[in-house]
């Protein structure tokens, strides 16, 4: 039985508590938030859980084996560091930290203490991403050509981060999870219209080989779009996360170019076959994340969405930020 | 009655001939193509039109007042130049030329000879673009924030140009037509997968003020997309050119940020009202282009889609090409 | 403060309790269900509410002013009757009863006792239906031509009722609420495939004047559809209840037929203008129903969704059932 | 080489001429229409074809082996009869005739003369219908439950026929082609709003076994819909003929009901698997029809879309008309 202390009971905190609470291997011991009002709601919902405004109760209590950090990103470093120093495993919201050197220090500390860090890249546990990963692992798409994601909607403006730090962590973590090739450089462009944070941005990621990824994030779109195109040599995928059914469509389409001997002109041949929408697992992704965290802690196993995975995303966010500020200058990573 | 000589009867040529042929103010005198087979088809369809493989007949015949150049872009400069030198007005396919200095020389030549050049940016004459222009002219959108276009499909690969020169001229000409602010710099990224031309590219255009434009072009998409989002302070537009009806949707949505006196936090307020899909003119755009060309020639009037408009698009294509080759380096224009 | 007793805590019961529980004018006193397991869940969620398997506690307790009957339809008559006899107001799920004579007896009883009956036709309180009603009240659609609803999905098979009694009450109550003309006769067809209940059915309702309504209900559809077309002389409406946004679309389209003097042929002229998707209220409909019930009880006011409204729906369901059994014979109502 | 005489060059005639003209096995000899203006257009398009206002030229010329009747339905009987009497094979537009006895007499006459009649049920030659037929022939859907088609749009009002005769022939011929069971009775309802013809109608077809078919036709819909649901025991199909791609979707979904021994309650189990959109042939259906007609004439082969197939559709249209007039009375067929 893993005792859990949860810090932060704002928007996402209640989801985290609900899911850890439902697991037989975990027990939520304490919920900590700076707002007493918020804690009242937590207590009403979970009679058996202690609530407190005192951080140290969550970070140091002997009943707590693992701390879930569900607070704004700028607080992550201090909270995770203290938790690790007190011998607690850590479950932390994405993005992992506000800077890559912070992430590196936390990873090192966890290693030294033999503690687990898991970053909550929830999307990796959705049926859609698991299905696409499986298609790629089975080489059903062939060599990958590109990964192109659009993640736009109206608001919600964040005060402390720009649209890149708000929306792109999803895409970057998914991209990293799906594409085996290594991201090498980033070009990002964007603009500010309402305050001093970019509200529209476009990110290109170059890989070691000739895959290219692109992420379009926007807080000023009148319509909500969550669509990713993945082009492969053999097949292509369109993932529309807003579709009620048929979120993932696999197109048996392709292009081939052959150079006939002695012939100057390229011969381009198109192949267009069936479309197929595989059934995807509908289990709540966050429940799977929480279960996986408990399993990793219990079995002393390194999760795949560990500090290192979180660091890679933060590194790309940093690079994108730098590139935007320098109007699209390429930033190697 | 304006006599027309048409050079090129491949994919787009028959459309041009059909439309000029249907106008009372024009008469198609001669159709020129290097393939005799192709000319046979032209003759069968238009008994009263002369067909020839001899360029000079179209370029010099006294019966021809204006030449329509409907050939690959790398032939434009020579053909347009010869036509102008022979005193012919010119109607030329987009993109205008392969290089901006060519475009400048042709504009200069036309001015000296007092001849018209019209570049066939057909989209500017569609009901959708006319309606959006009208919304902007009437200030229904308020200050513009961004212009974001996605133009992707499977193929058709071109041998002589990359995906930018193939697909982006549409977006660049529409963007220029709609946005009064001046484009100042371009950042473009992209990748080659099948031959030595980029088949996927992402273009950001910075403007003098804080509008930002973005164009996503792709020859390797399993699905066809033709969608443009235009964000304004007062209203926002989604234009889906593939929709059978309701191509243009106007959203009465917006975001406002106010800084209350003495209050540190920004107050973001969202406004979400009705959506409205204005009826758009369904007339064939190409017919309107041809009519407008005849009217400009007859009335000795400078068209708005003139050589200068064509030059501006070519300048941006050049800049995008340069930026892609240098992995996203910003190119001022 | 109105004391509420809720009978039935299965699928819909928890929604009813949650909503009455949230109202300042109501207090949920007791929840009754025959399953002790189910009551445990109720108690966990609402500490302050008494739970019981004993019907009489809900039906006779002096703390209970009004009884919400959230049980299968075949139990409604007895429960509502007992509640009324004990001087309780009644909130009852749709359909009101299994037979029209039952409904008539309950209405009579409530009148004699001066008690309120409200039938939970929740859809009448959705933003979409309220908006369409408003369009009709303002004569924006002109004379109505037809009402055509499709309500199909896979399952959920009911054991005690056929697809008509399961799905059509929604459409019939909405139709009655929107159309001022009186339904006069019903023709229904359908078929059974899996058990002894119709799983597919098509219902036509003739009105006093030349409006016609049609309802397509199906438990065996691979896709879920909730779409209603309403044709009017001046404008037409498409209501897609599954759309995330733009549920209600108003088309400025129409047809006119004129008979020119002395001319035999009819002249048909089509009008096709803008489409407009008015913003609709997003408040939870069930909350509004519950609030309205409390207000009607407090103010001794007859709700519009009263026993009479429930009776009219039951009468049409009875007629549809009879018609289906006699393979489409018209049944006057 | 089969000589073709075409009667009628209005809306559909030019399509028929274009297709027969393109076939190597056929030669269009004469086009007949009562409007000289219309014939001028035909002559312009097809220099080598004779045009005439004289019916007898098309019906009796020794150069004509087969007559294509592309005129309003009320003229079909006389024209087809005369053509057959003159020893010509007949290609005739749908619906075959205005009455079933006419159809029977024509079939008899053609048999006596050993001539072919083909009714132009074009939809049977589309890639979508061919694919669905193949799915059914391969028993991929299992036993069929229902066939439910919606075919609605704004206009075009016909003067001589109601919406049933205008739109339902498509559905009835497709339904007959796909479903092996025999239609036995029809219930139809509908209403007139603008003139003396029904403009909205709903048709139920009962079959010998427990398949049920339903057709919703409407000239007063603000949106165009062409969607057919086909429910089978093993799989279900949604055919959206307006979709640019993925017109046919096959859902691996189903419902099973089992009666456990000694258990009263039915056990309903739902199965929900992948969706699959098979590639469908994109060839122009009308071209395939014309080719097939030529082949049947040349090889003295009875087409499957023969007079008998046409008669079956006319019989159902007659029955539907009768049922509508008697407000849904069931009409056996």
């Amino acid at each position: 039985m893993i005792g859990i202390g949860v810090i932060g009971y704002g928007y996402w905190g209640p989801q985290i508590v609900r899911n850890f609470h439902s697991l037989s291997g975990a027990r939520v011991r304490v919920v900590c938030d700076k707002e007493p009002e918020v804690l009242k709601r937590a207590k009403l919902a979970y009679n058996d859980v202690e609530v407190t405004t005192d951080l140290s109760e969550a970070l140091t209590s002997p009943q707590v084996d693992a701390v879930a950090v569900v607070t704004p990103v700028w607080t992550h470093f201090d909270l995770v560091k203290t938790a690790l120093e007190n011998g607690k495993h850590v479950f932390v919201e994405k993005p992992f930290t506000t800077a890559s050197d912070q992430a590196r220090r936390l990873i090192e500390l966890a290693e030294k203490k033999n503690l687990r860090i898991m970053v909550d890249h929830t999307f990796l546990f959705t049926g859609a991403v698991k299905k696409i990963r499986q298609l790629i692992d089975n080489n059903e798409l062939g060599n990958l050509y590109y990964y192109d994601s659009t993640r736009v909607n109206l608001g919600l403006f964040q005060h402390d981060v720009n649209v890149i730090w708000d929306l792109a962590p999803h895409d970057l973590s998914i991209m990293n999870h799906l594409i085996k090739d290594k991201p090498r450089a980033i070009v990002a462009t964007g603009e500010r219209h309402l305050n001093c944070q970019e509200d529209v941005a476009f990110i290109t990621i170059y890989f070691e080989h000739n895959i290219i990824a692109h992420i379009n994030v926007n807080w000023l779109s009148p319509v909500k779009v969550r669509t990713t195109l993945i082009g492969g040599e053999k097949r292509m995928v369109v993932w529309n996360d807003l579709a009620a059914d048929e979120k993932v469509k696999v197109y048996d389409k392709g292009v081939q170019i052959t150079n006939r001997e002695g012939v100057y002109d390229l011969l381009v041949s198109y192949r267009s076959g069936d479309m197929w929408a595989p059934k995807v697992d509908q289990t709540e992704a966050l429940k799977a994340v929480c279960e996986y965290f408990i399993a990793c802690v219990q079995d002393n196993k390194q999760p795949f969405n560990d500090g290192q995975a979180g660091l890679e995303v933060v590194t790309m966010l940093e690079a994108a930020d730098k590139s935007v500020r320098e109007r699209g200058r390429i930033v190697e990573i």
Side-chain angles (χ1 to χ4, degrees), chain A residues 7-8 12 59 67-84 90-99 102-103 106 109 117-121 160-161 165 169 310 314:
Chain A
I7 302 179
W12 198 237
L59 291 167
V67 173
V69 176
V70 200
T71 55
V73 62
W74 57 267
T75 66
H76 286 185
F77 177 71
D78 284 345
L79 291 171
V80 174
K81 183 161 162 284
T82 312
L84 292 169
V90 172
F91 178 96
V92 58
E93 276 317 298
K94 58 91 209 161
F96 184 17
T97 56
T98 55
Q102 293 178 340
L106 295 175
L109 181 57
I117 294 175
M118 180 179 287
V119 183
D120 180 17
H121 294 306
D160 52 339
V161 298
W165 283 80
V314 170

Side-chain angles (χ1 to χ4, degrees), chain A residues 185-204:
Chain A
I186 283 188
V187 170
T189 56
E191 197 57 83
R192 304 161 178 196
H193 298 94
L194 293 171
N195 60 0
C196 49
Q197 303 284 2
E198 282 78 15
D199 41 45
V200 178
F202 311 101
I203 307 164
T204 294

